[in-house]
Amino acid sequence: KQWYQRRVAITAGEESAWFNHMKHSVVAVCALCEVGVVAHVYPARLVGSALALTVSVAYLAWVHVIYAVDSYWVYPLLNHLNLFYRAMFCAGIVLFYQVLYCAGRALNLKLHRPDKSSTVYKFSNV
């Protein structure tokens, strides 16, 4: 018996390319809209980067656990890479995740700069 429902993990051959692109791109659009509307309070830079690193490494570890248990790569590209290139790919993904975190933090600070007389964000009464 499988330990997960394979029908939940749709393979690339079962959906059109534009649908796959749209369902992955809409996340970025929603995130940009949220940054423009909501002022987020970020933790210290080192803490935030460490948390982002932890999440990205945990996700990649889970992808490898799925392969170890079921011999099924969630991302078919990984099936064509040897160990060295797979490690480089994973390192690049972790680096890209860090860049996205830093860019989101910088954009948030640029759009929602805190009041210079205070070190905390001032939110309107809702």
Side-chain angles (χ1 to χ4, degrees), residues 25-93:
S25 298
V26 75
V27 175
V29 173
C30 291
L32 286 173
C33 291
E34 181 184 357
V35 168
V37 174
V38 179
H40 292 278
V41 179
Y42 281 81
R45 187 172 308 191
L46 186 60
V47 173
S49 289
L51 289 171
L53 176 71
T54 302
V55 168
S56 61
V57 168
Y59 176 74
L60 287 172
W62 184 247
V63 167
H64 282 78
V65 166
I66 291 172
Y67 177 75
V69 170
D70 201 31
S71 298
Y72 172 74
W73 284 114
V74 177
Y75 300 106
L77 170 70
L78 295 174
N79 197 33
H80 303 288
L81 300 177
N82 64 24
L83 181 61
F84 175 76
Y85 288 116
R86 190 166 52 246
M88 296 304 295
F89 178 79
C90 291
I93 294 297

